[in-house]
Amino acid sequence: MTVKNQAKNTALYALENRRIVAVVPAAGIGSRMQADKPKQYLTIQAKTILEHSLNVLLSHPVNFDQIILAVAPNDPYLSELPFLANPRICVINGGETRADSVLNGLKQIAITENTWVMVHDAARPCLTHADIDKLLAIKDPNGAILAIPAVDTIKRATNQRQIQQTEDRNQIWLAQTPQFFPVDLLRNALQTALQQGLSITDEASAMEFAGFQPHLVTGRTDNIKITRPEDLALAEFYLSKQK
Ligand code: C5P
């Protein structure tokens, strides 16, 4: 693949001393959960999924300067949550799609050359500090994401749900969050991709469209995105094992 646009070199970004901000998109409705409220407000071990996800960021020793939380406009559930009093949390309105919510968050960040952003889905409560550390350790100025190498055999389907072909799974990775980028690069990439009407389901794909090749960091299979009803029991099990 041709790389149109390599990121500036590491010296420019002074990776060691960068300022780090987090953006947490939490404005989805989670229709596939078939629950009576958005999935991030369902409870596991007496805490909402959103609280679990935020707590991992808030308790990380690197100290995210700011955690920008994108929620649905007029979200009726948020005000009940205790973390709102935390001065590092800044609540903003999300958008129509996840990418819109993330871009709204990025627009809140005062950009200096040395600012990086870690974007993490509210719906992934089982993230560990060790995984955050792995991302922080990557010195690639194109940014990095957590991902899992595919273990199942991957089929590409036709519109009629017949198998068109089998992909080479050795080259397939399943993207997770957090995803970690220089704020200015990600903001430009996301803005351009959305203006072009591209379907963007994670930050890395916007960076790819802009010509960057972000780094893949092997994550953990328990960093699941709660999506379907059966995922709740699994997340509860994983969280109980982390204690
Ligand atoms: O729907 P999906 O599972 O892909 O959502 C991933 C994350 O993006 C969730 O935390 C969800 O709340 C968030 N999201 C958002 N704004 C939207 C749609 C989803 O912040 N419009």
Side-chain angles (χ1 to χ4, degrees):
M1 187 171 80
T2 315
V3 180
K4 289 181 277 178
N5 218 343
Q6 274 298 341
K8 296 176 198 173
N9 65 35
T10 45
L12 260 179
Y13 280 102
L15 295 179
E16 301 303 333
N17 301 314
R18 59 194 163 188
R19 173 179 168 244
I20 300 173
V21 175
V23 169
V24 176
I29 51 169
S31 54
R32 286 171 292 190
M33 274 311 278
Q34 299 155 21
D36 59 353
K37 52 173 87 160
K39 58 187 174 183
Q40 57 273 23
Y41 295 114
L42 299 176
T43 302
I44 298 176
Q45 294 169 354
K47 280 200 188 80
T48 60
I49 288 167
L50 175 59
E51 285 173 279
H52 283 288
S53 303
L54 283 174
N55 281 345
V56 183
L57 298 173
L58 284 167
S59 59
H60 189 273
V62 155
N63 233 343
F64 294 91
D65 257 33
Q66 202 183 14
I67 298 175
I68 299 169
L69 178 63
V71 300
N74 305 317
D75 181 326
Y77 305 102
L78 188 70
S79 59
E80 294 163 20
L81 301 182
F83 58 71
L84 280 185
N86 190 307
R88 280 197 286 149
I89 292 188
C90 161
V91 179
I92 59 146
N93 280 341
E96 207 168 305
T97 66
R98 180 186 178 284
D100 293 313
S101 296
V102 172
L103 184 58
N104 286 357
L106 298 178
K107 286 178 178 165
Q108 302 296 314
I109 303 172
I111 294 185
T112 62
E113 199 166 33
N114 216 8
T115 308
W116 281 58
V117 62
M118 195 171 277
V119 181
H120 182 55
D121 285 333
R124 291 187 189 267
C126 305
L127 176 67
T128 62
H129 283 177
D131 264 356
I132 295 177
D133 293 341
K134 278 196 264 174
L135 274 180
L136 292 173
I138 297 295
K139 303 295 180 213
D140 187 334
N142 295 279
I145 73 168
L146 288 182
I148 300 287
V151 290
D152 293 320
T153 300
I154 308 286
K155 306 294 185 187
R156 180 173 298 280
T158 64
N159 291 339
Q160 290 72 41
R161 211 187 278 189
Q162 287 172 311
I163 296 172
Q164 190 172 55
Q165 69 183 67
T166 301
E167 301 292 339
D168 175 6
R169 73 175 174 201
N170 291 322
Q171 292 191 302
I172 303 280
W173 290 66
L174 309 179
Q176 301 180 334
T177 70
Q179 303 202 354
F180 189 44
F181 298 101
V183 180
D184 52 350
L185 296 186
L186 180 60
R187 195 161 87 173
N188 290 341
L190 211 45
Q191 203 147 11
T192 307
L194 290 177
Q195 276 161 2
Q196 291 181 9
L198 299 171
S199 167
I200 298 292
T201 52
D202 74 343
E203 291 58 59
S205 49
M207 294 291 285
E208 294 154 37
F209 283 123
F212 297 101
Q213 290 186 316
H215 203 93
L216 289 162
V217 176
T218 306
R220 296 163 53 106
T221 51
D222 59 4
N223 182 19
I224 57 170
K225 183 173 69 168
I226 295 190
T227 307
R228 300 188 184 89
E230 60 269 29
D231 296 334
L232 271 184
L234 202 52
E236 181 157 22
F237 172 76
Y238 288 143
L239 286 169
S240 72
K241 289 286 165 197
Q242 283 179 9
K243 284 198 172 144

